């Protein structure tokens, strides 16, 4: 019996954005709930020694690939002018929301932040954007922004990132079904197949 | 009107093997023929500066990922004891087959070589294995083995590799529908969607 799919994501990651738009459908089709877990992709790269090899040919392909997935999913996407994004404050804000309100608020808050970053080209590190996204998810923005730099928030984000690495993650999004890691937006179908088999 | 899907592959690549098992079904479902084009992944990496970032966490994940795809596709797979594979002679043998017999013989010959490498743990650089695989595809092994080191064969493999790079390839498998590049076994569904839309 599979109780949970864990979705480790970073707002800075385009493929995390694309995957995030599919989590509700995945939960519905599989009957398994998805727990959204904000972590820090930069921290994962640092801990594992992994990185994204970004030769020009791959960058060109990726821009088109992201558009094709967005078309397939029927969701909007626009590569941010700030690309690549810094997301330390964003991921801390999400972590603060978990601390203040629990896991359940993450999907709506993260969806607002993903949309700000990957559709509206907003600066998701800015307090004003974080506050607006919190409001969009019916959360108090001031409390979340006020908790971004709290040591407990920093520690919690670090702990989530270290947990993901300890369980085998090396990139984002990282989805877990128990011990099984599924890396990338492009592994959602494989994960779904896996969950169906494991029933 | 999409006339052709080009499938650039290297027998050394696990995801090329996995994708190769899906090409017949892809052609059948889309009604578009697939042209199998042997190229040299090592040459692609050299030309583009790309490489496969192989930190331990990613290697561990990949071994399981390959098994999961094989299960989903219902095909056998065993990671070769020689991993990573050298495939220069193998890709030259495939190129020689194209020169001697035309494109049409590639799918059967390549399937035999992929199976030798990724199921039977055979040395696909060895003349004896190349000969047996040629026979399995109803081709004369001696003529192919005899043509492996011919300058025309080397030039042809180099030209195919350079063509793929010039068109944007940076890894394997690289599938093209006209100008559109689909990189990786995991992009077959996206390619299929693209072909269906382009009708």
């Amino acid at each position: 019996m599979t109780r949970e799919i864990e979705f480790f994501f970073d707002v800075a990651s385009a493929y995390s954005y694309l995957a995030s738009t599919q989590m509700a459908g995945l939960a519905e089709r599989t009957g398994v709930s998805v727990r959204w877990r904000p972590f820090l992709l930069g921290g994962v790269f640092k801990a594992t020694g992994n990185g994204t090899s970004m030769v020009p040919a791959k960058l060109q392909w990726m821009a088109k690939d992201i558009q094709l997935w967005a078309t397939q999913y029927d969701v909007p996407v626009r590569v941010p002018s700030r690309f690549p994004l810094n997301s330390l404050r964003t991921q801390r804000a999400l972590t603060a929301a978990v601390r203040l309100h629990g896991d359940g608020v993450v999907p709506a808050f993260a969806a607002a932040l993903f949309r700000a970053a990957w559709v509206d080209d907003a600066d998701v590190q800015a307090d004003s954007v974080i506050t607006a996204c919190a409001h969009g998810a019916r959360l108090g923005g001031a409390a979340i922004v006020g908790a971004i730099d709290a040591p407990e928030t920093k520690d919690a984000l670090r702990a989530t990132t270290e947990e993901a690495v300890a369980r085998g993650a090396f990139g984002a999004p990282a989805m877990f079904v128990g011990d099984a890691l599924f890396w990338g937006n492009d592994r959602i179908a494989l994960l779904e197949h896996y969950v169906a088999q494991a029933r």
Side-chain angles (χ1 to χ4, degrees), chain A:
Chain A
M1 286 297 142
T2 307
R3 316 137 321 264
E4 191 174 72
I5 295 163
E6 290 170 273
F7 172 56
F8 288 82
F9 67 94
D10 187 317
V11 171
S13 145
Y15 292 110
S16 289
Y17 163 58
L18 289 165
S20 75
T21 68
Q22 304 303 301
M23 290 300 114
L26 178 66
E28 196 178 310
R29 289 191 304 272
T30 57
V32 177
S33 64
V34 176
R35 182 177 171 209
W36 292 45
R37 306 201 58 190
F39 74 163
L40 194 67
L41 180 57
V44 171
F45 282 163
K46 208 166 179 177
T48 58
N50 195 30
T52 314
S53 161
M54 273 305 144
V55 298
K58 194 169 182 179
L59 271 176
Q60 276 184 24
W61 165 82
M62 192 175 285
K64 289 178 191 161
D65 186 62
I66 290 166
Q67 291 290 349
L68 281 172
W69 283 104
T71 302
Q72 169 135 336
Y73 289 163
D74 197 18
V75 298
V77 71
R78 181 162 53 143
V79 174
S81 52
R82 286 169 194 78
F83 191 81
L85 293 173
N86 185 334
S87 61
L88 180 59
R89 285 179 62 77
T90 319
Q91 298 305 102
R92 282 186 181 160
L94 283 158
T95 304
V98 173
R99 286 183 52 236
L100 292 167
H101 307 289
D103 278 335
V105 304
V106 177
F109 187 25
L113 288 163
F114 271 125
R115 192 173 179 94
W118 291 98
V119 182
D120 301 331
D121 198 17
D123 178 4
V124 288
Q125 296 272 82
D127 288 352
S128 58
V129 174
I130 292 170
T131 301
C133 289
H135 289 167
R138 295 166 184 272
L139 300 172
I144 287 172
V145 167
I148 286 178
D149 292 320
E152 296 82 358
T153 303
K154 295 180 183 180
D155 289 348
L157 177 57
R158 200 177 299 117
T160 303
T161 304
E162 284 170 0
E163 180 197 329
V165 169
R167 292 168 68 183
F170 54 89
M175 295 165 284
F176 286 91
V177 180
D179 290 340
L181 164 63
F182 296 83
W183 171 53
N185 165 68
D186 48 30
R187 292 302 186 272
I188 293 174
L190 209 60
L191 185 158
E192 193 166 342
H193 187 76
Y194 178 85
V195 169
Q197 297 282 93
R199 255 163 216 292

